[in-house]
Amino acid sequence: MAFYRQLGNIPPKRHTQHRDSGGQLYFEELMGEEGFSSDSSLLYHRHIPSAIVDATVWELRDQTTTPNHPLKPRHLKLHDLFPEEIWAETDVVTGRRLILGNADVRLSYVVSAKESPLYRNSLGDEMVYVESGEAIVETVFGALHARPGDYVLIPMSTTHRWVPQGSESLRAYAIEANSHIVPPKRYLSKFGQFLEHAPFCERDLHGPSEPLTAEGTDVEVLVKHRAGGAIVGTRMVYPNHPFDVVGWDGCLYPYTFNISDYEPITGRVHQPPPAHQAFEGNNFVICNFVPRKVDYHPLAIPVPYYHSNVDSDEIMFYCGGDYEARKGSGIGQGSISIHPGGHAHGPQPGAYERSIGVEFFDELAVMVDTFRPLELGEGALACEDEAYAWSWSGRGPNK
């Protein structure tokens, strides 16, 4: 992260005595990445943060995956996964259904109207995109307000919970890394400041505004972690509520970034996917396709050229507008397209010619490109449009 922030009650010198008004010492916790050789924050707790009184198994939803074999492009209809009658009993943490995954990243989807349990992911950072609805995300660092179009970045091992707000259910697309998720290095100075050519900057990242304290005893926290090579869960019980931080400072904390604050990079001819990048993790990137002026060369073809990203699987989550290149394919709001490495892909028939002369695209999509093949989760298998693979040719197998 590298952007310093300070909230609440902290002492003038780190690693020194810090007491409350009654003389009781606060307990300092250094939360740091990469063996304390990268970003970190210092948190001051009222209670010992390592104290637990119980630990039992938390059974996760189905985490199994199936290879994309035989290899083919796919279309998934995520809105079919959550009928309205179950929204009130579904939360953003335990209700997620696994769509795609590999050793580096897992993509899940959920529709929720219920407050989640306290939770932390000790496998890596989470970047949760809010398709619709609003929530307060309460964290050990403080609270965030999440609104439609927000990415919510939750650093690895941050205890938090999701509290939906208002009458509209929360639709969330969760990108769970086995690493940290950061802005691309090419957008940053050698000291970590956003450079002028970057499509967003520090002003667009919104962290907690004040510490969040809560009372409680024997408080459960769900922890996602790894055991024996498998992704598993543990239900830990703390003698005191984890939201007992009176102050903190540092460069590691949760934040929101709204996709509407992303300033697209455009050109006279069509720009390749790296021009749309917003974040990256180990062996994957996250890109934004937002409403924008398109190519303005007099002979430009604004939709993408057919392309073979030979190192990557390309996953597009369509979350608004009207995606020009996919017209006629059945793809709409809440769809995911899977274009695997090893298969050339591009506009649907007719879109190439139809786009000539178009000056503006009103589209909104989140793209994840991975550098290892993705496998299909149970959620993907439950909502696939079987006809999509043949949509460029107009006929399917044996026809």
Side-chain angles (χ1 to χ4, degrees):
M1 181 69 170
F3 315 127
Y4 177 80
R5 194 175 182 89
Q6 173 185 319
L7 287 185
N9 180 10
I10 65 173
K13 185 73 173 176
R14 60 181 180 173
H15 312 319
T16 60
Q17 296 178 36
H18 186 33
R19 298 179 185 271
D20 64 17
S21 58
Q24 178 67 43
L25 274 172
Y26 292 119
F27 299 95
E28 187 182 60
E29 177 194 4
L30 177 63
M31 184 174 176
E33 298 175 341
E34 299 179 14
F36 304 109
S37 62
S38 187
D39 293 346
S40 66
S41 285
L42 275 169
L43 299 89
Y44 293 87
H45 294 264
R46 290 180 295 176
H47 306 287
I48 296 174
S50 55
I52 60 173
V53 296
D54 197 11
T56 56
V57 171
W58 165 36
E59 295 289 351
L60 302 180
R61 291 190 75 139
D62 188 354
Q63 298 293 300
T64 59
T65 58
T66 303
N68 184 5
H69 185 235
L71 188 73
K72 65 177 182 176
R74 298 173 186 264
H75 170 208
L76 312 177
K77 297 182 176 182
L78 300 190
H79 286 188
D80 291 351
L81 290 175
F82 290 88
E84 186 173 354
E85 58 268 21
I86 69 170
W87 295 352
E89 300 304 317
T90 305
D91 70 77
V92 172
V93 171
T94 67
R96 296 176 190 178
R97 297 185 67 174
L98 181 63
I99 305 302
L100 296 156
N102 63 18
D104 304 308
V105 64
R106 292 165 305 284
L107 308 176
S108 301
Y109 188 73
V110 64
V111 183
S112 165
K114 180 183 177 183
E115 178 180 310
S116 80
L118 289 169
Y119 162 71
R120 69 171 175 268
N121 186 337
S122 71
L123 295 167
D125 292 355
E126 292 192 358
M127 183 70 86
V128 181
Y129 180 80
V130 178
E131 180 190 359
S132 62
E134 298 189 25
I136 300 298
V137 186
E138 298 177 345
T139 84
V140 69
F141 293 90
L144 302 169
H145 177 209
R147 59 192 176 94
D150 270 348
Y151 287 100
V152 183
L153 187 282
I154 306 293
M156 182 178 182
S157 289
T158 297
T159 301
H160 66 284
R161 68 180 165 202
W162 289 76
V163 185
Q165 303 289 299
S167 59
E168 185 176 6
S169 293
L170 187 68
R171 293 184 176 271
Y173 179 58
I175 302 168
E176 300 180 20
N178 282 356
S179 61
H180 303 300
I181 300 174
V182 296
K185 292 181 177 64
R186 68 181 183 277
Y187 294 166
L188 306 174
S189 76
K190 63 182 179 180
F191 298 111
Q193 181 181 7
F194 276 107
L195 297 170
E196 284 297 301
H197 72 273
F200 58 102
C201 73
E202 292 86 351
R203 297 183 189 182
D204 302 318
L205 308 181
H206 306 285
S209 57
E210 59 184 19
L212 177 68
T213 56
E215 301 291 340
T217 57
D218 293 342
V219 178
E220 290 187 349
V221 177
L222 303 182
V223 182
K224 187 178 291 182
H225 60 102
R226 194 174 296 280
I231 298 173
V232 297
T234 291
R235 190 183 306 271
M236 290 185 172
V237 180
Y238 288 78
N240 301 104
H241 203 292
F243 293 167
D244 66 343
V245 173
V246 299
W248 61 269
D249 78 330
C251 296
L252 179 65
Y253 50 86
Y255 62 85
T256 64
F257 165 65
N258 197 272
I259 198 169
S260 65
D261 288 324
Y262 183 87
E263 302 301 332
I265 298 170
T266 61
R268 289 223 317 156
V269 295
H270 193 80
Q271 298 299 294
H276 303 280
Q277 188 179 353
F279 302 99
E280 62 190 14
N282 183 49
N283 283 331
F284 73 93
V285 299
I286 302 171
C287 300
N288 293 330
F289 290 83
V290 301
R292 65 196 183 278
K293 180 179 177 63
V294 291
D295 320 338
Y296 43 90
H297 187 284
L299 297 178
I301 301 175
V303 295
Y305 31 76
Y306 293 87
H307 51 287
S308 298
N309 189 346
V310 297
D311 292 314
S312 301
D313 283 4
E314 178 195 283
I315 311 303
M316 295 286 283
F317 173 52
Y318 303 88
C319 43
D322 188 7
Y323 202 79
E324 190 72 27
R326 296 275 83 84
K327 284 183 177 179
S329 65
I331 281 176
Q333 177 88 22
S335 288
I336 273 184
S337 64
I338 303 171
H339 297 138
H343 173 75
H345 61 279
Q348 302 302 132
Y352 211 56
E353 182 77 29
R354 191 170 56 241
S355 73
I356 295 173
V358 173
E359 296 182 351
F360 186 84
F361 281 174
D362 182 18
E363 61 190 25
L364 195 64
V366 172
M367 183 174 82
V368 176
D369 273 9
T370 66
F371 296 102
R372 282 197 270 194
L374 286 161
E375 296 192 344
L376 306 169
E378 61 82 22
L381 298 175
C383 67
E384 183 176 3
D385 169 14
E386 297 284 355
Y388 179 71
W390 330 118
S391 60
W392 287 271
S393 65
R395 64 185 183 93
N398 302 319
K399 293 182 182 177

